[in-house]
Every structure is written in C-alpha cells, then in structure tokens.
C-alpha cells in the first residue's frame, strides 16, 4: 500500500531553522568588520535556497524521481 508523503516539508522547516540560526549569529556575535559576516551570509543564503526548494517540492507534489525503485519508473 503506498504511503502519503509530504515531500519538501522537512526542507522547508529545516531550511528556515538553519537560516534563522545563521541570521541570529550575524547579529548576536560581535564582529570587527563587515568581512567577518560574509561566511555567515553564505550559510543563510544556502539555507534559504533549501527552504525555497522544499516549498517548491511541497507545492509541486511527487515527481518521477520519487519512485519507490530508486528514482526510476522502469519496469523491473
């Protein structure tokens, strides 16, 4: 029996939490200059991209890559 999947909800929640973590570190941790925050902004951007991808997967629904036999719909 096929099970219902909520594809992408984990990426949305995880990406949002990680983005908030990086953004909190940017404003909480004291920095000596603007170049110190560059790696933190990159982490926040990557987390937001993961969140956007998860939102897309949640709205678009399952794709052919979500097949139970390892990402293929070939008849085996």
């Amino acid at each position: 029996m096929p099970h219902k999947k909520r594809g992408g909800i984990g990426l949305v929640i995880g990406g949002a939490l990680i983005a908030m973590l990086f953004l909190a570190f940017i404003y909480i941790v004291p920095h000596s200059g603007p170049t110190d925050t560059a790696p933190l902004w990159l982490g926040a951007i990557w987390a937001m991209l993961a969140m956007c991808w998860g939102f897309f997967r949640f709205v678009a629904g399952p794709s052919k890559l979500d097949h139970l036999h390892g990402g293929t719909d070939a008849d085996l």
Side-chain angles (χ1 to χ4, degrees):
M1 175 184 275
H3 61 283
K4 261 188 164 177
K5 280 179 75 173
R6 296 181 190 260
I9 195 74
L11 283 172
V12 172
I13 294 170
L17 290 174
I18 293 172
M20 286 190 293
L21 177 77
F22 274 102
L23 291 173
F25 277 130
I26 289 173
Y27 293 110
I28 292 174
V29 178
H31 302 286
S32 61
T35 58
D36 293 341
T37 61
L40 294 175
W41 278 112
L42 291 174
I45 290 170
W46 275 103
M48 287 180 215
L49 286 173
M51 187 176 66
C52 290
W53 176 251
F55 184 70
F56 169 75
R57 290 297 314 257
F58 184 72
V59 171
S63 71
K64 289 182 180 180
L65 295 176
D66 293 331
H67 196 269
L68 295 175
H69 296 292
T72 180
D73 57 359
D75 294 324
L76 295 176

